[in-house]
Amino acid sequence: MLRPTNPTDEINHALARRYSWVLLVAFVMVVLSGCSALNSVVAGSRSLIGLDPKPVEPDWKSLAITAADDANANSALAVDLVLVKDKAVLDTLLTMPATKWFTSRHDLRRTFPEAFTVYQYELVPTQAVRLDEKHFGKERAWAAIVFANYASPGEHRARLLLNNTGYSVQLNAQSFTVSEFKPGAAQ
């Protein structure tokens, strides 16, 4: 004998099945949370809906590059300010010494034409260059890196954060230093 089905029982049974699936999916996600495939899916989903960070314009009001009297053993010095627009290229450039940057930058520009913008300078001892916020226009980047082509061995590379007020790059005899401008300080 068939019993008539109660619509309320059917709804409750359907809800129970749905909650079971939700719990199963949640359990599987917890188990796989260390899995790189899941991390890739999560990252892709975040990017798809616009939750990932994006390249930004530098907040710099000023960037000063100054060569000391004895900079680069009293010789002209090439300095590149690189605004990096590609995260994969950023990882490579953050480990690249300046000598390698200067020997390979033309090839890198051909290979990755949209990955970065390079501002090239050559300073002689006692020369100074001051760039204001208008100089960078509406450039957007993940990071900025300064490379100095010293004759002496060393990395001669520094990362500049984009959310600071500005920087002073002091080119010395065999290396350079970077100082951050503090808000409210005389610049």
Side-chain angles (χ1 to χ4, degrees):
M1 173 162 136
L2 292 171
R3 291 178 18 195
T5 58
N6 184 348
T8 305
D9 288 341
E10 287 181 31
I11 293 172
N12 289 339
H13 187 65
L15 286 174
R17 276 194 310 241
R18 185 172 295 156
Y19 288 130
S20 296
W21 275 106
V22 169
L23 287 173
L24 179 62
V25 168
F27 176 75
V28 169
M29 289 182 73
V30 167
V31 170
L32 295 176
S33 65
C35 178
S36 64
L38 180 64
N39 291 338
S40 176
V41 169
V42 170
S45 300
R46 289 179 57 83
S47 178
L48 183 65
I49 59 175
L51 294 177
D52 266 352
K54 301 202 179 331
V56 297
E57 294 177 24
D59 289 339
W60 307 333
K61 303 297 179 212
S62 179
L63 176 73
I65 305 171
T66 307
D69 294 344
D70 60 350
N72 196 30
N74 203 26
S75 299
L77 180 61
V79 178
D80 283 1
L81 172 63
V82 182
L83 294 180
V84 186
K85 302 174 187 181
D86 184 308
K87 286 173 97 174
V89 172
L90 173 62
D91 293 339
T92 300
L93 294 181
L94 287 174
T95 61
M96 184 179 288
T99 53
K100 187 170 182 183
W101 163 256
F102 283 100
T103 58
S104 63
R105 71 178 170 190
H106 297 293
D107 290 335
L108 288 168
R109 284 176 132 171
R110 276 195 302 273
T111 305
F112 306 104
E114 302 297 321
F116 48 83
T117 300
V118 181
Y119 296 93
Q120 298 176 314
Y121 304 96
E122 187 162 354
L123 284 80
V124 296
T126 72
Q127 186 179 4
V129 175
R130 188 173 189 100
L131 311 169
D132 64 11
E133 58 194 324
K134 296 174 192 156
H135 183 79
F136 304 105
K138 297 293 182 187
E139 289 284 345
R140 293 183 169 279
W142 289 103
I145 304 172
V146 174
F147 291 100
N149 198 15
Y150 278 92
S152 62
E155 295 294 314
H156 306 301
R157 169 195 70 240
R159 181 175 183 170
L160 306 180
L161 299 177
L162 300 173
N163 62 348
N164 287 337
T165 306
Y167 289 94
S168 172
V169 178
Q170 178 64 45
L171 306 172
N172 298 312
Q174 295 184 7
S175 66
F176 69 95
T177 59
V178 175
S179 302
E180 179 183 325
F181 288 148
K182 301 293 182 193
Q187 298 175 19

